[in-house]
Amino acid sequence: MTTEPAATLTASHTRPAAVELSQQDNPQANHTQKPQPATRSAGHVIVDSLAAHGVERTYVVPGESFLDVLDGLHASDIETIVCRHEGGAAYMAEADGKMNQRPGVAMVTRGPGAANAHVGLHTAWQDSTPMLLFVGLIPFAHRDREAFQEFDIKAWFDTGAKRVMVLDHAERASEIVAEAVFAAMSGRPGPVVVGLPEDIIRQQIDPALHPAIPVAAGGMSSTDAAALQAALAESSKPLFVTGGNDWTQAAADQLTGWLERHQIPAAAEWRTQGTVSFDSPSYVGPIGYGRPRPTYDLLEETDLLVFVGTVPGDVITDGFVCRQDWNKKNFLVTVDPSLRGRSGPVSRQILAKPEAFVRDLAGIDLPVKEEWKAWTARMRGEQEEFAALPPAAPAAGQARMDTLMANLVPRLPEDAMVTFGAGEHTNWAHRYFPTRRYASMISARNGSMGYSVPSAIAASLADPARRVVTIAGDGEFLMNGQELATAAQYGATPLVVVMDNQEYGTIRTHQERHYPSRVSGTQLKNPDFGLMARAFGGLGITVTEDTEIPAALDAAFAAIDQDGVFALIHLIVEQRVKAY
């Protein structure tokens, strides 16, 4: 087992060396200079602790219950992103956690604010995303008296978070931050909720910071490695499945190189494409709900499954199809000993984070089998055929997503990123978007709508030079489309594509299957989203004709690159359009 080294954290606001300099040592010292205070408020210590743990920004909807933390952020290097709704703030923090090897951070107030943020917490729970949600609370002395906006934070969040902690003792402020970060990152990553009573965070305490708590990365034992090597040697059609949010680019590159050398295929867990590059000869496509034909039969045809960073859960197995008599040898590589969310029998678990596993996998070297070559080449060929772009030349008539993707993809740089929420509009990204690095696809694997715009803003703020595209459905866009105001305020520059088919398309599809010709509760009447984007300070273009698409993309990228604003293309398509 390996661990990351512990770091000794010190408050950035204390400078003991400077204070101890004498007049002789520093002739320019000001005799009136006062030493730094021996205490700081607990709220300020929380901010110091977050900064010491590497947090670069926090997503906030302010409330009077955590004003002292907001005051601490005023003088901090942590960027405070003020959002327009707690759901948007929580989604941004969750997306931030997916992109980095540390938790994303959101801050909201008690009662209604906490309730609104719950959607992002559920996303982090089901998507295994490290995230911290700080919630301002009523004063300690008012507890259990039905105070204004009072709620029971542990009763609300205990079943949907890895831990729920309340700062009842001010002197533990830095310790609780360290514990929260550790809990979010250790084992299977996930969300942690921290309650901050408004009177407690104002109390003065010792400003010394608690050391970071090292997170165990695990690794393959010699018996694990021997068992995996033997299983590979016996296999004719092995398949790796990558997933989760616990990767680094170095680990992704190392795994890709190992797979390519051995000519072994890898599929991507639903909505996690990019760990093995879209261009790799070992990449054979995404696997999950609505899976494309190239990967539809993979689970049945393979004779050895190696899941890395994820487990065969509900989505990957099309609703727990891995029965008890499902005769597949499998290795589940995850540092979560509980294997939560797993479907079907397990041959062997390897307790390791992806980076530790891939490091040890490099020691396994096998002769390449002809069966592996044929199996991988066939599946790769099917994936390439599936992902081949449709004709770029626009056709007469209504705008089409096929035409948009055919014109969008060639305009993308190598490191382009796509984000999206939930709905049938996501299928075009799954099929065509070139995900070439980790992380280049950020989405809500719990099927949460409203994720597209907030996640794109978080991605753009995290890497302003990167091309970020989000594909939103008309149904989900208005759930958090108001966060375009946040994009304008902080200079986020994503390209937002809103596919408008005037309905909740996924639900309509299921409705047609189970209740044919009885459309109910799925139809929408939409505003002009292009006009809305312009009102928020970006470029907005409404496209109704297929022939308008190339010029719309040119204008959108010009606005992003030259004017430094976000751009939105409102694409009005036929109602029952399908990607596959």
Side-chain angles (χ1 to χ4, degrees):
M1 304 285 274
T2 61
T3 61
E4 298 173 3
T8 300
L9 309 183
T10 56
S12 59
H13 297 273
T14 59
R15 300 174 57 205
V19 172
E20 291 169 5
L21 284 175
S22 67
Q23 174 70 21
Q24 184 177 1
D25 295 328
N26 182 10
Q28 298 182 7
N30 186 341
H31 285 289
T32 63
Q33 182 181 12
K34 297 180 180 179
Q36 292 293 320
T39 62
R40 288 174 65 76
S41 70
H44 284 222
V45 170
I46 287 169
V47 173
D48 294 342
S49 299
L50 289 172
H53 277 84
V55 173
E56 296 178 353
R57 62 186 53 82
T58 182
Y59 303 92
V60 169
V61 176
E64 64 272 22
S65 56
F66 63 104
L67 287 177
D68 195 75
V69 174
L70 290 175
D71 187 68
L73 287 167
H74 181 270
S76 171
D77 290 335
I78 296 175
E79 185 179 16
T80 303
I81 307 299
V82 181
C83 304
R84 300 310 177 97
H85 189 273
E86 292 87 356
Y91 277 145
M92 290 184 206
E94 197 275 347
D96 192 290
K98 279 189 167 91
M99 292 181 288
N100 301 289
Q101 289 295 300
R102 54 163 174 71
V105 178
M107 295 181 178
V108 302
T109 196
R110 59 207 183 199
N116 286 340
H118 208 302
V119 65
L121 200 78
H122 183 263
T123 304
W125 174 264
Q126 289 221 316
D127 286 20
S128 303
T129 306
M131 173 184 170
L132 303 184
L133 176 65
F134 289 89
V135 182
L137 298 178
I138 62 169
F140 184 90
H142 295 180
R143 194 175 297 173
D144 298 324
R145 301 172 68 182
E146 194 60 32
F148 177 64
Q149 295 184 339
E150 182 178 5
F151 74 108
D152 186 334
I153 190 170
K154 292 193 174 182
W156 276 27
F157 293 120
D158 242 351
T159 60
K162 291 187 70 177
R163 288 189 66 181
V164 181
M165 298 180 283
V166 178
L167 182 65
D168 282 346
H169 302 281
E171 65 272 12
R172 293 191 61 206
S174 184
E175 176 192 350
I176 277 186
V177 171
E179 290 282 356
V181 172
F182 172 75
M185 292 294 297
S186 61
R188 172 177 162 172
V192 174
V193 180
V194 181
L196 304 175
E198 64 176 276
D199 53 344
I200 302 296
I201 61 176
R202 292 197 298 265
Q203 293 179 16
Q204 295 293 308
I205 62 172
D206 185 332
L209 303 186
H210 193 285
I213 303 171
V215 175
M220 273 202 290
S221 67
S222 57
T223 53
D224 288 334
L228 179 58
Q229 182 164 343
L232 286 165
E234 295 172 1
S235 172
S236 297
K237 295 181 177 180
L239 176 69
F240 279 60
V241 179
T242 63
N245 307 309
D246 219 4
W247 290 82
T248 63
Q249 185 61 52
D253 290 342
Q254 192 172 6
L255 176 62
T256 300
W258 187 92
L259 292 168
E260 290 178 357
R261 286 194 303 276
H262 290 86
Q263 298 192 43
I264 292 175
E269 181 186 16
W270 193 53
R271 299 183 172 177
T272 64
Q273 291 155 241
T275 303
V276 176
S277 171
F278 183 88
D279 299 324
S280 170
S282 284
Y283 177 64
V284 296
I287 191 165
Y289 285 147
R291 68 186 62 160
R293 192 70 233 176
T295 56
Y296 194 84
D297 296 323
L298 277 175
L299 288 179
E300 292 300 325
E301 193 171 348
T302 181
D303 58 11
L304 173 64
L305 279 160
V306 182
F307 289 86
V308 187
T310 187
V311 296
D314 178 19
V315 176
I316 290 179
T317 62
D318 262 350
F320 300 120
V321 298
C322 295
R323 304 173 301 276
Q324 291 301 316
D325 61 348
W326 194 63
N327 188 24
K328 301 288 179 183
K329 182 172 287 188
N330 59 57
F331 286 71
L332 308 188
V333 182
T334 168
V335 79
D336 175 20
S338 72
L339 292 177
R340 195 176 77 237
R342 169 197 54 82
S343 168
V346 179
S347 303
R348 191 180 193 99
Q349 180 184 9
I350 297 176
L351 282 169
K353 286 181 176 285
E355 189 170 27
F357 168 74
V358 172
R359 175 203 64 207
D360 298 338
L361 181 67
I364 296 178
D365 195 18
L366 294 165
V368 178
K369 294 184 178 183
E370 290 301 319
E371 297 100 319
W372 294 356
K373 291 182 181 180
W375 159 245
T376 304
R378 174 170 67 85
M379 297 309 301
R380 176 61 186 170
E382 291 185 17
Q383 162 61 17
E384 289 178 334
E385 182 180 354
F386 177 76
L389 290 172
Q398 194 160 2
R400 300 165 63 243
M401 277 295 293
D402 279 359
T403 304
L404 182 131
M405 294 303 294
N407 283 271
L408 170 66
V409 170
R411 289 169 164 83
L412 296 173
E414 287 289 310
D415 66 345
M417 172 187 284
V418 65
T419 82
F420 46 80
E424 291 192 337
H425 59 279
T426 66
N427 291 336
W428 280 266
H430 281 298
R431 181 168 187 173
Y432 298 121
F433 201 93
T435 48
R436 295 188 171 101
R437 57 177 279 193
Y438 177 83
S440 52
M441 178 177 286
I442 300 293
S443 183
R445 293 193 296 280
N446 71 332
S448 190
M449 297 177 71
Y451 187 83
S452 56
V453 171
S455 58
I457 292 170
S460 182
L461 293 175
D463 192 347
R466 195 172 183 185
R467 177 74 78 213
V468 177
V469 178
T470 191
I471 300 177
D474 54 331
E476 69 129 12
F477 174 75
L478 279 179
M479 293 184 179
N480 277 303
Q482 76 281 351
E483 297 298 347
L484 290 178
T486 305
Q489 183 171 348
Y490 295 99
T493 58
L495 169 63
V496 181
V497 177
V498 182
M499 191 191 92
D500 181 356
N501 62 351
Q502 303 89 49
E503 65 179 1
Y504 289 114
T506 301
I507 311 306
R508 168 77 181 273
T509 296
H510 288 288
Q511 190 172 66
E512 293 283 7
R513 184 178 301 129
H514 298 290
Y515 302 93
S517 303
R518 292 179 61 82
V519 178
S520 175
T522 55
Q523 301 305 286
L524 299 172
K525 181 176 176 59
N526 293 316
D528 185 330
F529 295 127
L531 185 62
M532 177 181 171
R534 295 194 293 276
F536 277 114
L539 175 72
I541 307 171
T542 297
V543 173
T544 59
E545 297 294 321
D546 211 44
T547 54
E548 300 168 353
I549 288 175
L553 285 168
D554 289 340
F557 287 138
I560 291 170
D561 296 334
Q562 298 170 23
D563 302 330
V565 299
F566 71 84
L568 182 148
I569 296 176
H570 177 194
L571 197 74
I572 301 177
V573 301
E574 293 179 359
Q575 189 162 71
R576 292 275 75 206
V577 63
K578 300 287 183 183
Y580 49 84

